[in-house]
Amino acid sequence: MYNTIPDQLRKLAIENVFSTNTYRNCWQTWQPEIIRLLGNNYTENEILNIGDHLSNIFRSTGGGGRGQGELSASGTAWESLVCWYINLCTIGSRVVAIKKMSIVPKAIQDAITVNYGNFACNTESDITIIVFPDLVEYNTDINQLNILNNLGNQIQPIVRNKFNLKITNHLAERDFNQFEIGIIQCKTNWNDNAQIPMLWDMIYSAGGFRGRNITIGRNGYNIQNAQSFSYSFVTVPSNQNTIYNPNGVAVKRVTNLSGGNYWGNPSVQNVAKSLKEIFTNNFQTGSRTGLRTDIRTAIPELTTNNSLAYFGLY
């Protein structure tokens, strides 16, 4: 169970999150608080509702300093927590959230690259969301698969009872126009950073600005050729004593993002949605039975040292 290509990539993404000292240190504080919020005999409701509390969970580790080191560590921790939560809520689906760019399939890395003259950049993709197509290769245990890759003049098996990144690279090239792609920019501070997602979403939505030598994509891959593309903003926010309202400048800047504006608090109309709403807004097609059903099915595996132990909830 939980041995499909999306499931295996999800596991790798979460293992990469836990590989950092910053996240492991924070997790010592976050994990007991998450367990407390879930309560005994929790259901899919409690898991999804963690999205209403992510900001308080994040703040529980303190670290409100404004030095560059504190800001960098804080930003990394927030990105990692968001990545963990999205993957938790998409267990068993074809939706995967990835923080480490090197494990994103190369075709998708190429498609989201912004070229400014001869300079290529995709550094504002804090988290990349992949929705794998609803094809047999992505819904079947990899032990039952034998995917063939045309390598030179020979057809050789690259999948047989084993997962590696060659699988996702090959399949993303083959099925690129059926993949859905999402970019999530994560910032702890809303006021200082709201203009950044606004401008990046403009560039992606416009497909670049050729008159200014700004283009999207490389090696023949472009987000416009994918099944769909969205750009979202997720903030804590860490701004002290700030009241956000629909007419505020920071709110206005992210109001019309293609993927929406979210935070780790309950939704406030015309200000920001709880992060738990990102699934129905952007990634509904990633599950045959619905994310709630997928989570419900996964709960027994989350609470034991079993196939989903890598989430750290048992």
Side-chain angles (χ1 to χ4, degrees), residues 193-208:
N193 294 295
Q195 75 278 7
I196 300 175
M198 177 185 72
L199 295 173
W200 277 91
D201 188 49
M202 285 180 183
I203 293 171
Y204 280 115
S205 297

Side-chain angles (χ1 to χ4, degrees), residues 126-138:
D126 294 330
I127 296 175
T128 306
I129 305 290
I130 300 171
V131 183
F132 287 86
D134 189 6
L135 300 174
V136 64
E137 289 88 346
Y138 310 112

Side-chain angles (χ1 to χ4, degrees), residues 71-93:
L71 289 173
S72 177
S74 178
T76 297
W78 177 240
E79 293 165 16
S80 299
L81 181 61
V82 169
C83 184
W84 176 88
Y85 170 73
I86 292 176
N87 278 306
L88 178 68
C89 293
T90 54
I91 290 173
S93 76

Side-chain angles (χ1 to χ4, degrees), residues 55 58-59 66 71 74-75 78 185-198 232-257 260-275:
S55 292
F58 172 77
R59 293 191 190 99
R66 296 290 293 176
L71 289 173
S74 178
W78 177 240
Q185 186 180 127
C186 302
K187 298 295 182 185
T188 57
N189 183 294
W190 189 343
N191 294 358
D192 292 353
N193 294 295
Q195 75 278 7
I196 300 175
M198 177 185 72
S232 309
F233 179 58
V234 180
T235 183
V236 176
S238 59
N239 309 83
Q240 298 294 319
N241 304 317
T242 300
I243 298 175
Y244 292 95
N245 63 73
N247 295 316
V249 173
V251 175
K252 286 290 189 183
R253 283 174 168 165
V254 293
T255 295
N256 293 315
L257 294 184
N261 171 44
Y262 308 90
W263 58 9
N265 300 311
S267 298
V268 174
Q269 189 171 5
N270 298 321
V271 173
K273 292 181 179 180
S274 167
L275 185 56

Side-chain angles (χ1 to χ4, degrees), residues 168-299:
T168 50
N169 286 333
H170 165 62
L171 291 173
E173 292 174 3
R174 191 193 74 180
D175 302 326
F176 177 77
N177 64 352
Q178 298 182 65
F179 275 73
E180 297 177 42
I181 304 170
I183 288 178
I184 299 178
Q185 186 180 127
C186 302
K187 298 295 182 185
T188 57
N189 183 294
W190 189 343
N191 294 358
D192 292 353
N193 294 295
Q195 75 278 7
I196 300 175
M198 177 185 72
L199 295 173
W200 277 91
D201 188 49
M202 285 180 183
I203 293 171
Y204 280 115
S205 297
F209 300 99
R210 297 189 181 277
R212 301 296 300 171
N213 205 17
I214 301 173
T215 59
I216 309 295
R218 61 184 176 185
N219 294 325
Y221 296 105
N222 187 294
I223 56 172
Q224 295 179 345
N225 301 126
Q227 185 70 23
S228 69
F229 175 82
S230 62
Y231 193 97
S232 309
F233 179 58
V234 180
T235 183
V236 176
S238 59
N239 309 83
Q240 298 294 319
N241 304 317
T242 300
I243 298 175
Y244 292 95
N245 63 73
N247 295 316
V249 173
V251 175
K252 286 290 189 183
R253 283 174 168 165
V254 293
T255 295
N256 293 315
L257 294 184
S258 58
N261 171 44
Y262 308 90
W263 58 9
N265 300 311
S267 298
V268 174
Q269 189 171 5
N270 298 321
V271 173
K273 292 181 179 180
S274 167
L275 185 56
K276 70 182 181 183
E277 303 298 341
I278 198 171
F279 308 108
T280 51
N281 283 6
N282 298 340
F283 311 121
Q284 287 193 72
T285 61
S287 173
R288 287 182 169 182
T289 60
L291 293 181
R292 282 182 166 271
T293 301
D294 291 338
I295 297 170
R296 190 181 309 133
T297 302
I299 286 174

